[in-house]
Amino acid sequence: MMAGDVVGIWEVALSDGVYRIEFEHGTATGKRVVWINGQEVLRRDWMFKLVGKETFTVGGMETKATVNIEAISGFTYEYTLEIDGKSLQKFIDNRSKVTKTWVLQVDGVDCRIVLEKDTMDVWFNGQKMETEGEFVDDGTETHFTVADHECCIRLSVGRRELGPLLNGGWGSRLKKRAGIVHYLMVDGEAVAGWTD
């Protein structure tokens, strides 16, 4: 890869992994090349139109991605990445609402576990896991196995107590939902791994 023509580098976290997208743009020839994790996935040589879009897919679920090439002034260009039709930042913001990710070590191996909150699908190092769900007192548990380890993602509804609110301080204390809390357990122990 010719590092001199690389004009954009982005990292995109999907359920099946984190992908590094690199974009080459030859402003003299119009050449456009997309690399994902070091593999060339798209090449267009000798493009006469220097601005435009290049669309391709990322990951095993073939998520749609588009690099936009816009002229700013003269021979200065701006390169932006869209994922699933959203700007990269909007996509990241949305992903943080619909997924929960843990990065930890299991048996000395780096692991990335992703929960898709809307479907309750669980991904382990890029592979969709077979899971079994069950309802518990204050939420749900999703069970799966990694190597010989029993894993569980527990979803519970947290509540926080609000101070006296009724009748100027008279009345009962109200409890309001604090939100849904997700946590990962491996062999019955809560995991202290960080999330992205």
Side-chain angles (χ1 to χ4, degrees), residues 99-106 110-117 120-125 142 144 152-155 181-186 190-196:
T99 62
K100 178 74 174 177
T101 304
W102 293 268
V103 179
L104 62 143
Q105 283 199 339
V106 175
D110 289 336
C111 300
R112 182 174 182 268
I113 297 173
V114 178
L115 169 68
E116 293 181 358
K117 297 177 191 177
M120 297 304 287
D121 288 336
V122 175
W123 295 79
F124 172 76
N125 286 353
T142 302
F144 57 100
C152 171
I153 296 176
R154 185 168 173 85
L155 175 153
V181 179
H182 298 87
Y183 55 94
L184 174 66
M185 302 192 62
V186 177
V191 171
W194 60 272
T195 62
D196 64 359

Side-chain angles (χ1 to χ4, degrees), residues 130-174:
E130 291 290 325
T131 62
E132 187 174 307
E134 71 175 303
F135 290 102
V136 294
D137 288 340
D138 63 344
T140 64
E141 291 183 350
T142 302
H143 299 273
F144 57 100
T145 304
V146 171
D148 291 324
H149 299 280
E150 293 297 320
C151 300
C152 171
I153 296 176
R154 185 168 173 85
L155 175 153
S156 64
V157 179
R159 296 190 179 275
R160 66 172 180 258
E161 197 168 291
L162 300 177
L165 297 176
L166 300 175
N167 301 324
W170 300 95
S172 64
R173 293 170 82 72
L174 299 176

Side-chain angles (χ1 to χ4, degrees), residues 10-48:
W10 303 273
E11 286 206 354
V12 177
L14 301 175
S15 295
D16 63 348
V18 178
Y19 295 91
R20 179 182 171 98
I21 299 171
E22 298 178 67
F23 182 66
E24 290 183 51
H25 186 218
T27 55
T29 65
K31 173 184 75 171
R32 302 174 187 182
V33 183
V34 175
W35 300 80
I36 299 177
N37 292 347
Q39 298 277 24
E40 183 179 306
V41 297
L42 182 142
R43 175 178 288 272
R44 300 197 197 289
D45 290 313
W46 296 103
M47 300 284 294
F48 294 105

